[in-house]
Amino acid sequence: VRLFDPKLNAAFFRAFSRLASPREARGLASSTWYVLSALVVLLFFPTPYALAGILTLAWADPAANVIGQRWGRVKFLAGTVKGSATFLAVAFLALIIFVPWPQAIAAGVLTTIVEAAPIELDDNFLVPFSVAISLYLMMG
């Protein structure tokens, strides 16, 4: 609704300035993509793969963001090497709960690349979907 009313959009960003990023001013909020992604993976993939994707997003994305913004200097795709390395390490920790380590590494690497890629679609949608589909293709 806020996207159709400039005054409401401005009020939203005043009220939630600490939670919303400037890139969300012209599009859906990242939280909307997060919920949509969770619904899609829970509806279309086996529950363990869906939960692995959701947990990867919940743990790895914020960790990579903090490390990448604070210490990342060397670029990697649309992110930084340190941010992406952090994403991969934390993704592995989330994924190893659900699948054997070789699949956790493979899904982690693929999802790290997807997360860092300069893709227009929000990574809050792409990360759980990437994890769920990669695990499904590897493990059935």
Side-chain angles (χ1 to χ4, degrees):
V1 171
R2 71 175 173 79
L3 296 176
F4 297 108
D5 184 348
K7 289 180 184 177
L8 185 58
N9 198 30
F12 175 84
F13 277 88
R14 278 193 304 276
F16 299 106
S17 63
R18 300 187 86 180
L19 299 175
S21 71
R23 71 178 170 86
E24 296 172 329
R26 292 178 305 281
L28 293 176
S30 291
S31 56
T32 303
W33 288 112
Y34 196 130
V35 170
L36 181 61
S37 174
L39 289 172
V40 168
V41 295
L42 285 166
L43 285 172
F44 293 105
F45 293 97
T47 302
Y49 304 163
L51 295 177
I54 294 166
L55 189 60
T56 298
L57 178 61
W59 287 0
D61 198 45
N65 189 29
V66 168
I67 299 301
Q69 285 186 2
R70 180 168 249 162
W71 293 292
R73 302 286 180 262
V74 179
K75 292 291 182 192
F76 173 71
L77 299 174
T80 67
V81 170
K82 287 184 180 178
S84 293
T86 301
F87 187 95
L88 177 57
V90 176
F92 175 78
L93 294 175
L95 292 165
I96 198 69
I97 296 169
F98 297 95
V99 296
W101 70 267
Q103 287 81 7
I105 290 173
V109 167
L110 174 70
T111 303
T112 298
I113 293 168
V114 167
E115 193 274 338
I119 300 171
E120 290 297 317
L121 194 55
D122 195 287
D123 65 344
N124 284 342
F125 181 80
L126 291 172
V127 167
F129 186 77
S130 173
V131 168
I133 199 162
S134 63
L135 292 178
Y136 182 77
L137 291 173
M138 283 188 283
M139 302 185 65

